[in-house]
Amino acid sequence: MSSYRQFKTVMLLSDLVKNTSTDLKKVSVTIQTTLVELKKLQDNPEVSIQYVQISYDEQLHKIQETRENILAALDMLEKKTLQKMRDTLTKLQASLKSDVDKCSTLGIELKQLRDAIQDISDQSEQELSFIASIKCKDNIQQFKNYLKKNFAELKSSITFDPNSEIMQYLSKLSGLAQSLTAVGNADQIIRIDGKSEYDVSIQGESTCHIRDICVLTSGQVLVVDSSNYKVKMLNQQYQLVSHCSVSDEPLGMCQITPSEVCVTVCAEVQFIKVNNNQLVKDRKL
């Protein structure tokens, strides 16, 4: 049995055209609007790709800086250790030289006494012989006592015992970063659980008017103080760590890279970078 469809009505195409309004201009506008939306969808990922690449390059620079800081710290530890070894060497050498001088002095005295004894041959000089004998015995005993006391020091040496805790600590680390975070732009519901107030004024400023605020990926906070014509940077404890002045009242701020913002100053745009934990003014448009 063959299948077939049932149609309620059958109309000629010419009749359908007559009864249907065809506004090609409206369709063209709709197409144009759709193309604009598609272009936005295309541009946004491209901008994001560039932004991610910029942030990646900046983090590579931070990794290099971290490595250099670690090497500098190790160099400082090495210098301190070498200085301690040099101080120890100087101390031991001074002590050993004193021992050598003492031995030399005792040797000279004993030789002088020996020569004096050899010159005493007359029995009439028994008293002198007795005195010389006592003096010799006394010097010999001094030498024996000195030798017994300083024998261990005569064989002193310098030893270096490495701090194994440093290598143990480094071997346990998974990398140079405490964390690696990918920051997205997804919409989130924000709930306020509390409020804290922090003073971001500089000495001599009576009031501060915070016009805009921006949190960098590093956790540093930038605020625009329109009353004092300044951009200020706070650390993660919200303590003021750096600031820079702008030519006029700042009106707003926008982050363009992980370490750079642009600030609108009247009819100008001032670019400001974060470099070595300091705000540095860059180009101006």
Side-chain angles (χ1 to χ4, degrees), residues 9 43 72 103 110 165 169 175 178 203 218 270:
T9 58
D43 290 344
C103 290
L110 286 173
E165 292 182 0
Y169 176 75
Q178 290 183 339
Q203 186 175 4
S218 60
Q270 174 69 62

Side-chain angles (χ1 to χ4, degrees), residues 19 32 39 61 67 89 95 100 104 155 178 186 218 242 245:
N19 298 326
Q32 184 61 33
K39 186 66 168 60
H61 181 66
R67 182 179 183 276
L89 176 63
S95 177
V100 171
S104 177
K155 294 185 178 181
Q178 290 183 339
S218 60
S242 180
S245 300

Side-chain angles (χ1 to χ4, degrees), residues 58-257:
E58 290 184 348
Q59 302 318 304
L60 284 181
H61 181 66
K62 282 188 178 181
I63 291 174
Q64 184 63 31
E65 284 185 343
T66 302
R67 182 179 183 276
E68 291 174 356
N69 291 336
I70 292 174
L71 291 177
L74 290 175
D75 288 341
M76 183 58 65
L77 288 176
E78 181 184 11
K79 289 180 180 178
K80 290 181 179 179
T81 303
L82 291 175
Q83 185 60 49
K84 287 182 179 179
M85 289 186 64
R86 283 192 290 267
D87 293 343
T88 302
L89 176 63
T90 301
K91 183 179 179 181
L92 284 176
Q93 286 179 335
S95 177
L96 292 173
K97 187 177 184 304
S98 176
D99 293 338
V100 171
D101 293 341
K102 182 67 175 178
C103 290
S104 177
T105 301
L106 287 173
I108 292 173
E109 291 179 356
L110 286 173
K111 286 180 181 179
Q112 290 175 347
L113 288 171
R114 181 197 62 189
D115 295 340
I117 290 173
Q118 291 176 352
D119 292 339
I120 301 173
S121 57
D122 192 348
Q123 292 293 328
S124 62
E125 298 180 351
Q126 289 183 357
E127 293 182 359
L128 185 60
S129 298
F130 178 74
I131 294 172
S133 175
I134 293 176
K135 186 66 175 176
C136 287
K137 290 179 180 179
D138 182 59
N139 280 15
I140 291 172
Q141 187 60 45
Q142 285 186 39
F143 171 73
K144 289 181 178 180
N145 293 339
Y146 179 79
L147 184 62
K148 185 184 298 183
K149 179 180 178 182
N150 296 277
F151 181 75
E153 294 184 6
L154 292 174
K155 294 185 178 181
S156 297
S157 62
I158 299 175
T159 59
F160 169 69
D161 185 17
N163 188 344
S164 59
E165 292 182 0
I166 297 176
M167 293 305 301
Q168 291 175 0
Y169 176 75
L170 292 176
S171 63
K172 292 178 181 179
L173 296 178
S174 60
L176 294 178
Q178 290 183 339
S179 63
L180 291 174
T181 307
V183 181
N185 295 320
D187 294 335
Q188 296 179 349
I189 298 176
I190 300 175
R191 184 183 67 187
I192 299 177
D193 293 328
K195 183 183 75 170
S196 300
E197 294 185 1
Y198 298 91
D199 184 10
V200 298
S201 62
I202 302 173
Q203 186 175 4
E205 295 178 347
S206 57
T207 59
C208 291
H209 180 198
I210 305 303
R211 178 66 64 85
D212 207 346
I213 187 169
C214 175
V215 181
L216 303 181
T217 54
S218 60
Q220 296 162 316
V221 180
L222 302 186
V223 296
V224 170
D225 183 357
S226 60
S227 297
N228 299 290
Y229 295 4
K230 287 184 176 68
V231 177
K232 301 177 179 179
M233 182 169 69
L234 315 178
N235 59 19
Q236 295 184 10
Q237 289 73 43
Y238 307 110
Q239 298 170 330
L240 182 64
V241 294
S242 180
H243 66 87
C244 68
S245 300
V246 292
S247 58
D248 209 326
E249 181 181 357
L251 303 176
M253 175 172 55
C254 177
Q255 182 180 3
I256 56 176
T257 74

